[in-house]
Amino acid sequence: MIRIAICDDEKNIRLYLSRLIKKQNIDCMIAEYAHPDDFLSAHREADLLFLDIRLSGSGRKDISNGMDLAKEIRSRESGPQPLIIFVTGYDSYVFDAFDVGAFQYLMKPIDEDKFADVFRRAVKEILDNAGKRKTSLTVSLAGTRKIIPLEQIYYMESHGHKIVLHLKDGTLEYYGKIGTMEQELQGQFCRIHKGYLVNLSYVESYDRTEVTLTSGRRLNLSKYKYDSFVKMHLQFIS
């Protein structure tokens, strides 16, 4: 399912975009936001973001329009990044859109054939990227970025506002949310407990209460996670 967000302060535009999206017959989930604050406070991941440039109503001084919101999204150090399609009545921001890696720039009034073509290409890119397995994780440590091969990580542990990576050669701790990592690494890592995200490559055995890794480490398996873990593990090994 494609997760789509629409951020525009005009209700009629939000409704129109939702209608156009539904006409494309793609399995998707649509969330609408009137202002940048609404989008940020929702803390919901999106694969595709339709974003008006001249937004209003943000309570933050550094986010006064849609372009500022796009810059805020691109500044995130971890987690998935949505494809951004700007929808605007002004063509003066075209070059700024390139600076935030926008996928496309649609002018109002929206041409429905143009929308259908752009939407089709966006969905194709999202699905293509979803099919590519990540090989590394980039984390921020003391102002620098460190690239860690996923094959070095046995599991991740939530520790307050930090994530502890349990590696083949020790541990590494950094600020982050395990829920964000769960989304970013889905298909390769599985949440087996509110505090644990395991690398499916290193699952040696399990029962209804524990998962044993090839390192010998045993981790609690939540009864609420058991069914989803078994399904994901079977998909992974197949």
Side-chain angles (χ1 to χ4, degrees):
M1 179 177 289
I2 307 295
R3 300 166 298 180
I4 300 175
I6 301 170
C7 193
D8 195 300
D9 52 9
E10 296 182 64
K11 184 177 180 179
N12 63 316
I13 296 297
R14 297 197 303 272
L15 292 174
Y16 182 54
L17 286 171
S18 291
R19 184 174 68 81
L20 289 180
I21 292 168
K22 291 171 183 176
K23 285 180 63 176
Q24 310 310 312
N25 295 318
I26 296 293
D27 188 17
C28 63
M29 179 173 60
I30 305 171
E32 298 180 17
Y33 306 96
H35 307 294
D37 287 344
D38 299 334
F39 177 82
L40 293 172
S41 62
H43 298 292
R44 295 178 64 179
E45 301 293 347
D47 302 304
L48 177 59
L49 171 61
F50 288 93
L51 180 59
D52 184 20
I53 289 180
R54 289 203 171 183
L55 284 169
S56 61
S58 175
R60 290 177 49 172
K61 293 181 179 180
D62 58 331
I63 300 181
S64 59
N65 55 45
M67 189 63 69
D68 290 338
L69 175 58
K71 292 176 181 178
E72 171 74 12
I73 292 169
R74 292 296 186 241
S75 70
R76 294 173 179 172
E77 295 180 340
S78 63
Q81 288 277 345
L83 261 65
I84 296 177
I85 296 177
F86 282 115
V87 183
T88 181
Y90 305 90
D91 59 7
S92 56
Y93 296 94
V94 172
F95 295 107
D96 292 328
F98 287 112
D99 291 338
V100 292
F103 180 77
Q104 188 56 270
Y105 194 99
L106 291 175
M107 293 294 298
K108 298 176 183 178
I110 301 167
D111 179 273
E112 294 197 16
D113 290 335
K114 174 71 171 178
F115 179 92
D117 177 63
V118 170
F119 186 81
R120 176 186 56 78
R121 289 191 288 110
V123 169
K124 182 179 184 303
E125 180 157 328
I126 290 167
L127 295 178
D128 286 348
N129 289 336
K132 296 176 183 177
R133 179 162 288 184
K134 289 174 65 71
T135 59
S136 64
L137 175 68
T138 303
V139 301
S140 180
L141 294 169
T144 62
R145 295 199 172 198
K146 183 177 179 64
I147 299 175
I148 303 165
L150 294 183
E151 64 180 18
Q152 295 295 318
I153 306 172
Y154 283 119
Y155 69 99
M156 302 180 184
E157 181 180 4
S158 178
H159 192 266
H161 296 294
K162 294 184 178 181
I163 294 175
V164 180
L165 302 181
H166 292 264
L167 309 167
K168 289 184 176 181
D169 58 355
T171 60
L172 186 150
E173 189 174 280
Y174 70 101
Y175 285 100
K177 296 181 180 179
I178 200 164
T180 301
M181 290 296 96
E182 181 182 9
Q183 290 290 330
E184 184 174 346
L185 301 174
Q186 58 184 325
Q188 298 165 260
F189 283 66
C190 180
R191 189 82 167 267
I192 64 167
H193 185 275
K194 66 179 181 180
Y196 299 129
L197 189 65
V198 300
N199 189 335
L200 291 168
S201 297
Y202 297 123
V203 173
E204 184 173 80
S205 62
Y206 62 88
D207 56 29
R208 284 195 166 271
T209 60
E210 282 187 338
V211 172
T212 302
L213 303 180
T214 55
S215 63
R217 185 76 163 91
R218 293 181 177 182
L219 302 172
N220 291 333
L221 173 57
S222 167
K223 65 180 179 180
Y224 303 109
K225 300 288 187 182
Y226 178 80
D227 290 340
S228 60
F229 164 73
V230 171
K231 181 179 179 180
M232 190 175 292
H233 182 252
L234 290 174
Q235 289 176 339
F236 181 81
I237 61 177
S238 64

